[in-house]
Amino acid sequence: MEVVKVGLREEIDNSYDIVIGRGLLDNLAMELKKNANEFAIITDSNIAGTYGKRLLNSLKKKNIDVHLIKFSAGEKSKSRKTKE
């Protein structure tokens, strides 16, 4: 597994890590459960069927309250209206 640090330091430190590796989706439920008990998976329609539902089911099996929110894929959906 490799971790890439994205440094976004200004007055507020907006830095975050990106975790890269194989099999991460299978272990994600346990990692998330360490931080909170309720989550929302926000994804577009291209990814929802492939990874969204898989992650949703994985989290539900660990008794994590989770909701899948999907929107239409494409540039048209990248708007404030979609965010609302």
Side-chain angles (χ1 to χ4, degrees):
M1 174 173 63
E2 182 180 346
V3 176
V4 177
K5 179 96 171 172
V6 178
L8 300 174
R9 233 175 248 250
E10 292 180 12
E11 288 185 30
I12 298 173
D13 186 0
N14 291 320
S15 301
Y16 59 91
D17 294 335
I18 297 174
V19 180
I20 302 168
R22 294 186 187 271
L24 295 175
L25 191 59
D26 297 327
N27 299 317
L28 188 56
M30 294 307 295
E31 289 298 316
L32 290 175
K33 197 166 183 170
K34 293 177 184 177
N35 297 305
N37 291 317
E38 186 176 4
F39 294 92
I41 302 167
I42 303 170
T43 184
D44 70 23
S45 55
N46 288 340
I47 301 300
T50 307
Y51 296 108
K53 289 181 183 177
R54 183 173 160 197
L55 179 56
L56 179 75
N57 293 331
S58 176
L59 294 173
K60 284 185 174 185
K61 285 180 185 174
K62 300 291 184 188
N63 296 318
I64 296 173
D65 189 15
V66 60
H67 308 277
L68 179 63
I69 301 168
K70 68 178 180 177
F71 54 90
S72 299
E75 292 299 314
K76 205 172 195 180
S77 293
K78 296 178 182 177
S79 67
R80 291 183 180 186
K81 183 175 179 168
T82 300
K83 185 176 90 173
E84 289 174 5

